[in-house]
Amino acid sequence: MDGNGRWASKRFLPRIAGHKKGVDALRRCVKTCGQRGVGVLTVFAFSSENWNRPADEVSGLMDLFAMALVREVPQLQADGVQLHFVGERSGLSQKVAHGIEQAELATASNSRLILNICFNYGGRWDIIQAASKLAAQGRSITERAMNEVMALAHVADPDLVIRTGAEQRISNFLLWQTAYSEFHFSDKLWPEFDEEALDFAIADFSRRERRFGKTSDQVGGQPDNAIRI
Ligand code: IPE
Ligand code: MG
């Protein structure tokens, strides 16, 4: 979800105004995903590296996140969304940590859409925590064992990754899980990412031939349309 700051700067607004609009865009995206039959949506809300931003932006983001946690849960609940927070929990404020626990508990039995919110998350952090876990358990580090202990073990690897904000890089997002994901780069800034932009990304995805290392003849040229963004 990239481009909140630029959206605000273009309008001579403080960056936090862009982040607030970003929450609106996420609410809209979750709703559309539910309507389109998307089973899993994973979003990058705050990275391990975002702590290095100016202190007022970091504290503004934390306040906004804590507030959104409380404000959004009833509607998510009504829409059958199961929330998961993915990332390092230690180092978060008591308020944020408590909000996360409550939101996960409240939505645990929903099943229409799984919404993973990566918060204080980094792809390298995840690989390291998973390998450390296996080492501590005295298990060998195999691909299958890693999949069992990665932070997103409860969902399949994403079919489609969308990056907004006209940047074309992964920025320490799902490094392990995106081995065979399709990528879509949108020029839209995240607050502007609407239903049309999501449908455009899904249409782009549906035209891809996914070969997973095989040849085109082997896979029969049939696009696989199951989507976990
Ligand atoms: C993404 O928007 C939101 C977070 C990282 C929290 P940015 O804040 O990165 O927006 P730009 O890239 O400065 O426009
Ligand atoms: Mg950015």
Side-chain angles (χ1 to χ4, degrees), residues 1-4 6 53 163-165 167 188-191:
M1 301 188 287
D2 197 16
N4 295 348
R6 278 164 286 164
R53 291 192 174 196
R163 178 163 187 155
T164 60
E167 308 287 3
K188 294 233 186 228
L189 302 174
W190 174 249

Side-chain angles (χ1 to χ4, degrees), residues 1-7 15 19 44-47 50 53 57 61 167 189:
M1 301 188 287
D2 197 16
N4 295 348
R6 278 164 286 164
W7 184 91
R15 291 179 59 85
H19 295 312
F44 204 177
F46 191 86
S47 77
N50 285 149
R53 291 192 174 196
E57 182 167 347
L61 279 167
E167 308 287 3
L189 302 174

